[in-house]
């Protein structure tokens, strides 16, 4: 049967070909698919349910931090995009242009938003008159378009889903505080919910966002040692405000420019979950983000009482607040097991006639494969506790893996050897010049990931030019 | 002060100019605003929070009905749009065309989705092979673009937010059942949550969706007697399946075409809420959809104990599961009252030093203006009960208003006079010919809203041509 075949074929081993493994998992865990629209993807129910959980968790954290949601148009007139010089230079080469509406050519062409700083500025210009109108702390959930040449599911596609927060403040300090507050929300979200440890830091000028004064980032390490920039938060100072003329009358009746920030997280987080936690049997989802947390698999389900007991268990799990499901299809148990494993569901509970007679069940952890014989009594509480434990241990394993792949380099030779031989991050001092960044990229294939907030001085000189260096930088290959 | 001015200016009276009243409310209740992007709007926090509640309520009802969410690309290659003849004729004149990606012209231009039937068909063609793959019951929440010439906030804009469900089934009967099931979800949602009574029925062929075999609709009456089509559900039969070649192998191993449906609701529902419930003091929100249900307004808030008591009350309201807020700004109470009224918050609770001393408070209903002196004890339960009562009475008032503006016509003269003099719906028999529909539109300015499910025979002949008639039709002017 065509359907059987889909699962019997295993995914490519991570060791053999990480990129192929990733594509296989995306496809076989039914997360997304290619389409007739080049470079764009369909996010399928199993993938979209993960995104819905990401949205729900992040949005609740945003709202606690005083963020209000809005929706702005998806189009940006060309003249608006061009108002901030660095910004247009950064984005114009990769936008999609709308030139006709219906049968008529447009008087001015518009791009589909690649990001919405210019639209928010245009909006804030009218909304903000007085210090009483500040701060504005707005966010939108939407899709954006960037005309990428090469694309990969979730990691880089021409259209992707994200949230973009855009704020306006009376002072630089307040804007800086908001920038860091949102980065902190991103970092704790990744660590607490996605079980992905991140390094918090600041981007170098070369790597910062087009138009930003400072870009802060959280960087995660994938299983293959490569970095994935997982969320960024930008402080624009008053650069956009000056370009767009966004002024407010302060208490002293002076007209002043506002200070702005923006910050975003995208569907590439789904790629991060796959590449941090997945294994050769497929996806492994952290319990807090998993659309289904416990899958009940009845064994010999045609025998009397089996389905009834399994359904009662599923109901009891749901009553205890867990996201549970039951696989009642006529597939074989082994088949159901491998499906559940491919889809990364954290816990499977097997329950057959003998278990029912003995008042027991078998819980199987997706992350470790461990089988635990348990009493049927108190099972929902047992499962809830196990989910917490899995969440915690997945984070610790990811952190141990990450920490084991961070290396310090104090000589150029060491740096070159590490970049060549050791997948992971390299910590090394840097003088601050873009020439050195360019040279390390050209010669060693790495980019600066960030200047971590937790600075240390591991040597006195720049790893590249040997001049005095003040900044510790994480370097690595990146998605 | 500029800020004071915004609220002291009242909205235009409904009686004087309904259209201007609508625009004033939209603007002064801070729901949305125009932008530099012609024909597109910004949905502001107060408006977007209503949409979030609509999404939450509808999505929960969808999920109970087995709907799964997905996300498909926003672009449709021209060749894909053209595959179904009626569909392309209906939509091609009003789409936005993307012709360039980055600096390069595209090989094939693409439109921004006006609706996604063609994309879902292209997707289903690959996803569906066997009867085991059916049914597919997918939905997406997204924005769509239709290049309208004249636009009005929420009611008609070039870009709007909506959900679009797209399903595929093994049989026509199952597709028809799903079409009607979703229409029923729309109708009960409108009635139970938005307190808007609707007429359920079928569209005439002239008014049906481009490419559909049958379109079902729910029609609501606005305060000015005009109709607003509030949700539609389409049965496509196997027309799209044949155009796109979507076939499955049935149990008997025969290749068969699937049967499809689609259904959608949009941000125009916010326009419906405004125009059904609003009054000359602004917006009136049904409690179940209102982002804030109870606003606590402390009186003489600088006096000892007032703010503490008001905050404790707000916390108690939230603990009882109500969405509560407190207005602690330094505006005057009268000012706060008119703000709360403009924004349509269902209940205001006023609490000053004398109330606190007496152990009482004053609850004020937004919908009727009624003031109720209540004991502070058990106030959250009292407020919860009052919210239920308001919800119920708002529905009943809207229904009474609607029913009072539905007229039967059995002669052409009656019909013409009603269309001319009586804002509202006219019920009249129709022979089924498009000529008669066209003639009634041209001569009386009304369109067929629907053939209601609850049919009656109020006369034997068509209101227009006098030939034998079988169908009762609701006619009206529409947004």
């Amino acid at each position: 049967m065509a359907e059987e075949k889909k699962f019997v074929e295993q995914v490519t081993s991570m060791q053999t070909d990480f990129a192929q493994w990733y594509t296989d998992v995306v496809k076989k865990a039914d997360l997304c698919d290619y389409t007739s629209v080049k470079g764009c993807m369909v996010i399928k129910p199993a993938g979209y349910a993960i995104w819905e959980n990401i949205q729900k968790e992040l949005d609740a954290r945003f709202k606690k931090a005083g963020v209000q949601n809005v929706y702005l148009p998806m189009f940006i007139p060309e003249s608006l995009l061009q108002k901030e010089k660095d910004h247009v230079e950064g984005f114009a080469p990769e936008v999609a242009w709308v030139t006709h509406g219906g049968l008529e050519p447009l008087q001015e062409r518009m791009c589909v938003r690649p990001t919405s700083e210019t639209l928010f500025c245009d909006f804030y210009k009218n909304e903000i008159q007085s210090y009483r109108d500040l701060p504005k702390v707005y966010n939108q959930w939407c899709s954006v378009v960037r005309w990428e040449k090469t694309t990969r599911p979730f990691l880089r596609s021409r259209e992707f889903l994200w949230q973009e927060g855009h704020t306006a403040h009376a002072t630089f300090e307040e804007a800086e505080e908001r920038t860091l507050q949102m980065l902190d929300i991103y970092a704790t979200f990744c660590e607490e919910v996605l079980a992905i440890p991140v390094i918090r830091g600041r981007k170098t000028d070369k790597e910062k966002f087009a138009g930003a004064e400072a870009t802060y980032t959280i960087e995660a390490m994938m299983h293959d040692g490569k970095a994935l920039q997982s969320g960024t938060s930008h402080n624009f100072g008053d650069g956009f405000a000056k370009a767009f003329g966004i002024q407010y009358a302060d208490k002293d009746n002076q007209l002043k420019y506002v200070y702005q920030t923006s910050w975003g997280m995208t569907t590439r987080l789904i790629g991060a979950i796959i590449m941090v936690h997945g294994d050769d049997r497929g996806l492994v989802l952290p319990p807090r983000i998993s659309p289904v947390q416990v899958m009940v698999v009845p064994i010999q389900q045609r025998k009397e009482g089996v389905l009834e007991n399994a359904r009662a268990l599923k109901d009891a799990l749901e009553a205890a607040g867990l996201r549970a499901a039951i696989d009642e299809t006529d597939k074989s148990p082994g088949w159901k097991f491998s499906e559940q494993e491919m889809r990364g569901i954290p816990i499977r509970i097997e329950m057959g006639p003998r278990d029912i007679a003995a008042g027991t069940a078998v819980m199987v952890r997706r992350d470790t494969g461990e089988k635990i014989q348990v009493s049927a009594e108190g099972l929902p509480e047992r499962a809830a506790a196990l989910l917490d434990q899995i969440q915690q241990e997945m984070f610790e394993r990811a952190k141990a893996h990450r920490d084991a792949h961070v290396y310090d380099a104090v000589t150029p030779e060491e740096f070159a050897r590490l970049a060549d031989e050791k997948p992971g991050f390299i910590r090394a001092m840097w003088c601050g010049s873009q020439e050195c960044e360019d040279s390390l990229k050209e010669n060693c294939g790495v980019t600066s990931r960030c200047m971590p907030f937790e600075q240390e001085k591991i040597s006195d000189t720049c790893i590249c030019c040997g001049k005095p260096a003040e900044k510790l930088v994480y370097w690595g290959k990146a998605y």
Side-chain angles (χ1 to χ4, degrees), chain A residues 14 18 21 199 219-228 275-276 398 401-407 418-419 421-426 445-447 449 474-479:
Chain A
M14 268 185 176
F18 193 80
W21 167 84
I199 290 157
E219 300 282 324
M221 188 191 291
M222 303 298 102
H223 202 85
D224 63 351
K226 281 199 199 168
L228 190 81
M275 292 195 291
V276 168
H401 178 271
R402 198 246 346 243
D403 292 345
H405 293 82
V406 175
Y407 308 94
L418 286 166
E421 295 174 9
K422 297 281 187 185
F425 294 168
I426 310 173
V446 297
T447 52
R449 303 317 311 151
Y474 276 85
W475 307 87
K477 298 181 172 103
Y479 280 96

Side-chain angles (χ1 to χ4, degrees), chain A residues 17 34 109 161 179 181 326 444:
Chain A
D17 183 344
Y34 297 101
R109 66 179 185 162
L161 302 180
T179 315
Q181 179 189 9
I326 180 169
C444 305

Side-chain angles (χ1 to χ4, degrees), chain A residues 15 63 95 126 138 140 153 159 168 179 184-185 189 209 250 314 334 364 368-369 413 422:
Chain A
Q15 292 290 343
K63 285 189 167 121
V95 297
N126 298 319
Y138 289 169
Q140 70 178 357
E159 181 187 8
T179 315
D184 191 58
I185 287 176
F189 169 77
F209 182 83
D250 206 352
K314 185 216 155 206
V364 185
T368 59
E413 296 72 29
K422 297 281 187 185

Side-chain angles (χ1 to χ4, degrees), chain A residues 171-293:
Chain A
T171 64
F172 180 85
E173 291 69 31
E174 200 185 296
E176 179 73 1
E177 198 181 315
R178 176 58 71 171
T179 315
L180 294 171
Q181 179 189 9
M182 299 317 295
L183 193 82
D184 191 58
I185 287 176
Y186 288 165
T188 51
F189 169 77
C190 279
E191 300 195 333
E192 292 174 5
V193 181
L194 307 186
I196 296 177
V198 294
I199 290 157
R200 301 151 168 83
R202 183 176 170 163
K203 287 281 183 192
T204 62
D205 280 354
K206 176 181 160 141
E207 299 288 335
K208 75 183 183 188
F209 182 83
E213 212 156 281
T215 288
Y216 301 100
T217 180
I218 51 172
E219 300 282 324
M221 188 191 291
M222 303 298 102
H223 202 85
D224 63 351
K226 281 199 199 168
L228 190 81
Q229 177 181 303
S230 303
T232 48
S233 188
H234 317 290
N235 186 341
F236 292 121
D238 57 4
F240 274 94
K242 284 183 171 157
F244 283 80
I246 313 171
Q247 287 182 301
Y248 70 98
D250 206 352
K251 287 178 190 169
D252 57 12
N253 241 337
Q254 298 291 303
L255 272 185
K256 295 176 184 168
Y257 288 106
V258 302
Y259 294 84
Q260 290 171 271
T261 82
S262 81
W263 23 276
M265 268 194 159
T266 79
T267 31
R268 81 187 325 218
L269 286 175
I270 299 173
I273 296 169
I274 299 168
M275 292 195 291
V276 168
H277 300 300
D279 65 23
D280 282 350
R281 284 174 300 141
L283 190 61
V284 183
L285 290 172
R288 290 205 189 127
I289 210 69
S290 188
V292 176
Q293 296 174 313

